[in-house]
Amino acid sequence: MGVSGTAVVFGGGGFVGQYVVQFLAQAGYMVRVASRRPDQGALLRPLGRVGQVAPFYASVRDEQSVACVVRGADVVVNLAAVLGSSGGQTLQAVNVEGAGRVARLAAEAGVARFVHMSALGCGAEDNPVSAYGRSRAEGENAVKQYRPDAAIVRPSVIFGPEDRFFNLFATLARYLPVLPVYEPDTRVQPVYVGDVAEVVGRLATQDGYVARSWELGGPQVMSMRDIARLVLQETGRDKPLLHVPLSLARMQAWFLEKLPVKLLTRDQLLMLSRDTVMPGSESGFEPFGLVPRSVASCVPFYLERYRVGGGRAGIFVPER
């Protein structure tokens, strides 16, 4: 396989990033995995040929490191984002200023294609209520200021073997006497991480997808109550669901957001107060000729390890 060019993936060591890195490597690109933790990017070296995938230190908050890593690149993908502020990693610094910095320096370096990851329901036209949502909307605007040709991806809740969504529910189901459910009637449209990564990869490597936003959702709309029930079923846990009243949920979130590992924050409750679903009957994958994978075709395989006595060794999600 010949070399197709050089791609830079900010946040490439993260949940979605590793799938995007694999797609770009298989497409023949030399991939620079840019992150604050290059040791995590080093774990992705086996996804390509020897020397094809290389970790780089590049924080979206640092002008010099970003300018260095995008120099000579043909493609830049920005997946770097935070759910909440912690220390210097604030919503403003990463999701807004960081996004704008990457877009500006990529433009100055003459990078041909730019792809930015946002989130469904977080466009400026959606008038998001949470601080996270607003930071995503402002980040999109910052990107468009310097890269009006950018392709912006807005997925719903992303699931996959390494997710912090179904796995979190399953962990709670394992250890708690009841499974708490916040905002049980709120609807989401879970989308498989591999499908999102393929769209990102195509936007980054193929012509005809610039200067617009791509909203993505899976084939099934589920309420938070539906998701909790599915997790109990697939993990074999016979436990009651506990609908946590909003007033109590806010008190719990106030306490939990002060812990080093923020299991729940008040801003996340605001995010859960709104549906995260596609505006119409389409999934968003139709222009790419893709059929998104369902929750039922993937999730049971990686939740099996949470069953009493454990499941099969390793995590295996079958191919289509």
Side-chain angles (χ1 to χ4, degrees):
M1 179 186 296
V3 176
S4 301
T6 299
V8 180
V9 183
F10 287 87
F15 172 39
V16 180
Q18 60 184 312
Y19 289 83
V20 173
V21 167
Q22 183 175 28
F23 181 97
L24 293 171
Q26 290 176 346
Y29 282 79
M30 301 296 290
V31 185
R32 301 171 184 170
V33 183
S35 69
R36 294 187 305 122
R37 293 284 306 278
D39 56 311
Q40 294 178 346
L43 300 176
L44 304 183
R45 290 182 186 274
L47 296 180
R49 304 184 308 275
V50 174
Q52 186 182 10
V53 177
F56 281 75
Y57 169 78
S59 167
V60 298
R61 297 168 53 207
D62 181 69
E63 186 96 0
Q64 185 174 359
S65 66
V66 173
C68 178
V69 79
V70 301
R71 188 177 300 127
D74 303 285
V75 173
V76 167
V77 177
N78 181 33
L79 307 175
V82 292
L83 275 172
S85 299
S86 179
Q89 294 292 102
T90 65
L91 293 171
Q92 179 68 24
V94 178
N95 297 1
V96 182
E97 296 171 5
R101 179 175 294 109
V102 173
R104 173 172 55 82
L105 293 175
E108 292 176 1
V111 176
R113 291 193 181 96
F114 191 91
V115 183
H116 175 71
M117 176 75 83
S118 186
L120 189 62
C122 292
E125 69 278 10
D126 298 308
N127 192 25
V129 296
S130 67
Y132 169 78
R134 291 192 297 271
S135 74
R136 283 303 215 174
E138 292 172 17
E140 287 187 18
N141 289 335
V143 167
K144 293 174 183 176
Q145 178 181 352
Y146 301 105
R147 294 298 305 237
D149 63 333
I152 296 176
V153 184
R154 296 174 178 168
S156 185
V157 174
I158 302 176
F159 69 88
E162 307 87 359
D163 70 43
R164 296 181 183 177
F165 187 64
F166 284 101
N167 282 301
L168 175 58
F169 270 97
T171 299
L172 296 176
R174 172 188 281 174
Y175 293 112
L176 298 180
V178 297
L179 183 57
V181 183
Y182 301 90
E183 300 288 358
D185 296 320
T186 297
R187 301 178 304 151
V188 296
Q189 199 166 342
V191 59
Y192 179 58
V193 60
D195 295 333
V196 175
E198 182 162 356
V199 168
V200 171
R202 291 194 187 192
L203 294 174
T205 60
Q206 298 176 8
D207 295 327
Y209 296 122
V210 299
R212 62 162 289 184
S213 299
W214 301 89
E215 298 182 326
L216 302 175
Q220 183 180 5
V221 174
M222 306 177 71
S223 70
M224 299 303 292
R225 183 186 293 106
D226 294 334
I227 289 168
R229 287 172 175 164
L230 175 70
V231 169
L232 289 175
Q233 174 185 323
E234 296 300 334
T235 58
R237 306 282 173 174
D238 184 17
K239 296 182 178 182
L241 298 180
L242 174 63
H243 171 204
V244 183
L246 184 58
S247 57
L248 178 58
R250 286 171 177 163
M251 292 177 60
Q252 291 178 344
W254 178 85
F255 173 75
L256 291 172
E257 69 186 18
K258 299 181 182 301
L259 300 178
V261 178
K262 297 176 174 60
L263 294 177
L264 181 68
T265 68
R266 286 170 289 179
D267 197 57
Q268 288 171 348
L269 285 178
L270 286 174
M271 293 164 58
L272 282 173
S273 68
R274 284 189 175 182
D275 293 342
T276 309
V277 299
M278 295 290 290
S281 60
E282 295 185 348
S283 66
F285 289 90
E286 289 81 6
F288 304 94
L290 298 175
V291 178
R293 297 188 60 163
S294 66
V295 167
S297 70
C298 304
V299 172
F301 293 93
Y302 63 87
L303 289 192
E304 186 174 323
R305 58 188 172 145
Y306 294 96
R307 287 178 173 270
V308 177
R312 291 172 291 183
I315 301 175
F316 172 73
V317 175
E319 297 296 326
R320 295 180 191 275

